[in-house]
Amino acid sequence: MRSTHTPPTAVSSRPARTLAAWAQALPLTTVFALFFLIPLALVLMVSFWDYSQYQLLPDFTFKNYVAVFEGCLSGPELCTTLKTYLSTFKFCLLVWGLTLVIGFTVSYFLAFHVKSSSMQVILFVLCTIPFWTSNVIRMIAWVPLLGRNGLVNGVLVSSGAVDEPVDWLLFSDFSVVLAFVHLFTTFMIVPIFNSMMRIDRSLIEAANDSGASDWQTLWNVIVPLCRTGIIIGSIFVITIVMGDFVTIGVMGGQQIASIGKIIQVQTSYLQFPLAAANAVVLLAIVLMIIWALTRMVDIRKEL
């Protein structure tokens, strides 16, 4: 009977490989801990503190979480918190649907209708141009277009389409959704385009040779193979919209409520523990949404 014998060099090299692996992971781990885990732990800790008009009072109390959901179980009407979350979810759903349609259409055109690789790169770079300027500047650019005396209303009135300027174009739900779509569609285009470029073109040819129509090929071949990109883009868009307060504040004329806006207002009034409690609740809801989305596809396996 022959016995297996592990060479001493193999055994002695394992600690060295383990140490090298830890050394390689240390910089990223340090950055992750300093800029994510520690601030998150501080927010969670402060959410249980008390506060007065002028100072924070280190304590362990649930009064901030009780204040977040105050009135939610006392009557038939929705409390302020639930109304605010419903408003935020409404914007999330609208922006997600519009960015998905636009992002998928643009990505499909770039991936399957633009044959030249250089032209694909040029057009793809054009899609990223909005990132070269500030979000606030891009939002403010809509004001002279959508205002009561803006370009759009001027065209509508001069053409006879309306008798007087339309008020709902600016500082309304419409302007907020428009700004969100303008700002965040690129977050949907990039991952979907990346997924489409990885599709084996022979699968498209096989579907066409089997007699499948363009719509059947799109729905049964391309869309399933783009699930990873769709899920990643959805996570980007939903998480950004859920916590946004700048876009809603600027384009909504400070008149539209969102959970991010509430947190910003509470912070401005130095109600840090209450704002931290709202932030923890928002984080929990966003994490549940991300968990539900990642159940649809194994991102780590398909990337």
Side-chain angles (χ1 to χ4, degrees):
M1 180 177 179
R2 299 178 62 184
S3 60
T4 58
H5 178 68
T6 304
T9 56
V11 176
S12 60
S13 64
R14 289 176 185 173
R17 288 200 302 266
T18 303
L19 183 61
W22 278 105
Q24 292 174 354
L26 182 60
L28 182 59
T29 303
T30 303
V31 172
F32 183 74
L34 288 176
F35 296 100
F36 181 77
L37 294 180
I38 294 177
L40 185 60
L42 291 175
V43 171
L44 182 61
M45 179 181 67
V46 172
S47 69
F48 293 101
W49 285 10
D50 200 354
Y51 65 96
S52 64
Q53 188 174 359
Y54 304 104
Q55 62 181 341
L56 299 179
L57 304 174
D59 196 359
F60 186 81
T61 176
F62 290 97
K63 64 179 293 186
N64 299 312
Y65 291 94
V66 173
V68 169
F69 297 102
E70 184 178 3
C72 291
L73 302 177
S74 61
E77 294 186 0
L78 295 177
C79 63
T80 302
T81 299
L82 292 181
K83 289 180 180 178
T84 306
Y85 270 104
L86 287 178
S87 174
T88 306
F89 288 144
K90 175 188 68 177
F91 288 120
C92 258
L93 186 60
L94 290 173
V95 174
W96 171 78
L98 292 173
T99 55
L100 177 59
V101 172
I102 298 173
F104 191 92
T105 303
V106 173
S107 300
Y108 182 83
F109 174 77
L110 292 177
F112 296 104
H113 289 277
V114 179
K115 304 301 182 182
S116 172
S117 299
S118 58
M119 185 57 65
Q120 282 182 338
V121 173
I122 293 174
L123 293 177
F124 184 78
V125 171
L126 287 177
C127 293
T128 64
I129 284 180
F131 281 99
W132 301 357
T133 58
S134 168
N135 284 5
V136 177
I137 293 176
R138 282 180 280 162
M139 284 185 288
I140 294 176
W142 285 106
V143 175
L145 291 176
L146 303 178
R148 184 174 178 84
N149 298 317
L151 179 62
V152 175
N153 269 318
V155 172
L156 291 176
V157 173
S158 61
S159 64
V162 295
D163 296 330
E164 57 183 15
V166 180
D167 293 327
W168 54 263
L169 291 178
L170 188 63
F171 303 142
S172 62
D173 291 356
F174 170 80
S175 60
V176 171
V177 173
L178 180 64
F180 273 138
V181 173
H182 175 212
L183 295 175
F184 304 136
T185 299
T186 308
F187 287 100
M188 193 69 79
I189 293 175
V190 173
I192 295 178
F193 176 73
N194 179 63
S195 295
M196 286 185 177
M197 291 302 295
R198 298 176 59 188
I199 296 176
D200 189 351
R201 296 307 190 263
S202 62
L203 297 175
I204 310 296
E205 296 176 359
N208 294 331
D209 293 340
S210 300
S213 65
D214 292 340
W215 283 106
Q216 289 174 328
T217 302
L218 176 66
W219 186 253
N220 297 313
V221 178
I222 297 177
V223 171
L225 293 176
C226 292
R227 285 188 307 169
T228 302
I230 293 173
I231 294 300
I232 293 175
S234 300
I235 291 174
F236 285 155
V237 172
I238 290 174
T239 53
I240 294 174
V241 174
M242 283 291 292
D244 184 275
F245 63 90
V246 177
T247 306
I248 289 182
V250 174
M251 300 304 295
Q254 308 297 337
Q255 302 174 11
I256 299 176
S258 72
I259 189 62
K261 186 64 179 176
I262 287 180
I263 295 174
Q264 185 265 332
V265 170
Q266 290 170 342
T267 303
S268 65
Y269 282 103
L270 304 182
Q271 299 174 340
F272 294 113
L274 187 57
N278 268 303
V280 171
V281 174
L282 175 62
L283 176 62
I285 293 175
V286 170
L287 289 177
M288 287 189 291
I289 294 174
I290 294 175
W291 177 84
L293 291 173
T294 53
R295 294 304 93 191
M296 300 179 184
V297 62
D298 189 349
I299 296 179
R300 293 178 299 178
K301 180 179 178 181
E302 298 199 20
L303 285 179

